[in-house]
Amino acid sequence: ATLNTMTSTDNQQQNHRISNPKVRSFVISILAGGTAGIVEVCSMYPLDLVKTQAQLSTGKSSTIMGAFKKIVNQHGFSGLYRGIASPILAEAPKRAMKFSCNEVYKPLFKGNEYVLGAVAAGASAGMTEAIVNCPFERVKVVMQSEANVDLYKNTFDACVKITRDEGPLALYKGFEAQLWRNGVWNGVYFGFILAFKNYLPKPQSKQQELLQKFLAGFVGGTVATTANTPFDVVKSRLQDQRTVKGQAPKYGWTVPSMFQIMREEGPGALYKGYLPRVVRLGPGGGIMLICFHYVSNFLERYV
């Protein structure tokens, strides 16, 4: 009787699964990618806040702990999570877009076979993701900026005021820089994951497989962050700029803005906020890969 019950339950699960394999794979990527992204952003958001404030500063940046202490003293513990609503709302569509598009681009570039193919597939997926994510990033940056603490009550208020004062397209300010940032990070990240996987011996157990996934995500996230931080600095500054009638903006296109920052503040300014960024995205990459792995395995059974 017990065996019959188990068989009946398995048959019911089979009947409720999505029959089309491509649709099923896409749905699993969306749900697993979105879940993995939300877990990562909730775990690491205070570091992202410190990173953005360091990037927007033209002076000397404080240490991570010094920045945490300053924020908590001035705004309370909740100040460490100011603006988190925007990335949480963005995570599901953003991560879903990246992971699912990466699966679409992989066959085009043979990303499962060649490292350069994985780089091209990852970069293309990251740049596609920017289309969805740019408005959320713009709102997040203005909410994180210390100069805007008294301007916006919350994420919704910031979105309304930006649209009202600067026009709807202002939500896509910094889009070109975000294309660079996303393309570089995702290309390096997914390319490194494949190279790392090809270099290591085949795992002999589930524990070893998870350890390899975490190490690949950790090191891949660190290398990718090192490669794309200059683009992220420019993106943050572009997105914090307010459009004022009759006044030319300080920063324009990405590459000229890089040279401008180097000329005015020195080459090291392009790596402002690097430490909190790498502390966040190194472990964050590992956390995201493992979470994606577990959620995907769970969904494979029920979707």
Side-chain angles (χ1 to χ4, degrees):
T2 305
L3 183 60
N4 290 336
T5 303
M6 290 175 64
T7 304
S8 175
T9 302
D10 289 342
N11 288 336
Q12 286 176 6
Q13 288 177 2
Q14 290 281 353
N15 292 336
H16 284 92
R17 286 180 183 173
I18 298 171
S19 56
N20 188 313
K22 287 186 177 179
V23 174
R24 184 168 178 265
S25 175
F26 183 75
V27 169
I28 289 173
S29 293
I30 286 177
L31 295 175
T35 303
I38 289 171
V39 169
E40 189 272 339
V41 77
C42 289
S43 306
M44 301 292 180
Y45 187 78
L47 286 166
D48 187 70
L49 176 72
V50 170
K51 176 269 297 186
T52 300
Q53 292 190 354
Q55 289 178 338
L56 296 177
S57 169
T58 55
K60 187 178 178 182
S61 300
S62 62
T63 64
I64 294 175
M65 293 309 297
F68 281 161
K69 186 177 179 181
K70 180 182 175 184
I71 292 168
V72 172
N73 286 341
Q74 292 181 348
H75 309 293
F77 182 78
S78 63
L80 293 172
Y81 290 89
R82 178 175 166 81
I84 195 174
S86 185
I88 284 178
L89 291 171
E91 277 304 315
K94 158 185 149 180
R95 299 290 184 190
M97 179 72 77
K98 179 166 71 178
F99 278 107
S100 55
C101 285
N102 193 45
E103 293 304 313
V104 172
Y105 290 128
K106 269 183 184 177
L108 295 177
F109 297 107
K110 296 187 176 179
N112 284 321
E113 302 171 39
Y114 305 106
V115 172
L116 285 180
V119 171
S124 300
M127 294 173 85
T128 306
E129 172 206 317
I131 299 170
V132 173
N133 192 39
C134 189
F136 295 98
E137 277 287 308
R138 173 80 209 279
V139 173
K140 184 200 78 168
V141 168
V142 300
M143 284 293 294
Q144 290 179 329
S145 174
E146 185 67 26
N148 296 332
V149 169
D150 296 325
L151 290 178
Y152 308 114
K153 297 175 185 176
N154 51 49
T155 297
F156 180 74
D157 184 54
C159 184
V160 169
K161 287 179 178 175
I162 289 169
T163 306
R164 182 194 66 198
D165 298 341
E166 303 177 53
L169 289 179
L171 292 172
Y172 275 88
K173 189 173 283 186
F175 179 64
E176 183 238 355
Q178 190 160 341
L179 285 176
W180 280 101
R181 183 197 76 156
N182 284 22
V184 170
W185 198 91
N186 288 282
V188 173
Y189 180 74
F190 285 106
F192 187 90
I193 295 294
L194 183 62
F196 199 80
K197 181 182 175 183
N198 292 341
Y199 178 77
L200 291 175
K202 190 174 180 180
Q204 301 300 311
S205 65
K206 282 286 182 184
Q207 290 79 7
Q208 196 175 30
E209 182 186 1
L210 282 175
L211 178 61
Q212 286 187 5
K213 281 180 179 288
F214 182 82
L215 287 174
F218 180 89
V219 181
T222 301
V223 174
T225 299
T226 303
N228 90 328
T229 291
F231 298 104
D232 193 52
V233 171
V234 174
K235 181 200 77 73
S236 293
R237 295 199 178 189
L238 281 165
Q239 291 183 327
D240 190 47
Q241 280 188 155
R242 299 184 70 196
T243 302
V244 181
K245 267 190 176 182
Q247 184 177 322
K250 182 175 182 179
Y251 302 110
W253 294 101
T254 303
V255 174
S257 296
M258 281 185 177
F259 284 105
Q260 182 180 347
I261 290 169
M262 284 194 290
R263 188 171 60 249
E264 294 175 355
E265 303 171 47
L270 291 176
Y271 276 86
K272 283 193 169 186
Y274 174 76
L275 187 57
R277 228 184 147 228
V278 83
V279 168
R280 177 204 170 184
L281 292 176
I287 290 169
M288 195 170 65
L289 262 185
I290 288 181
C291 186
F292 185 78
H293 169 81
Y294 275 116
V295 176
S296 294
N297 285 350
F298 175 80
L299 293 173
E300 287 283 353
R301 296 170 56 193
Y302 298 104
V303 173

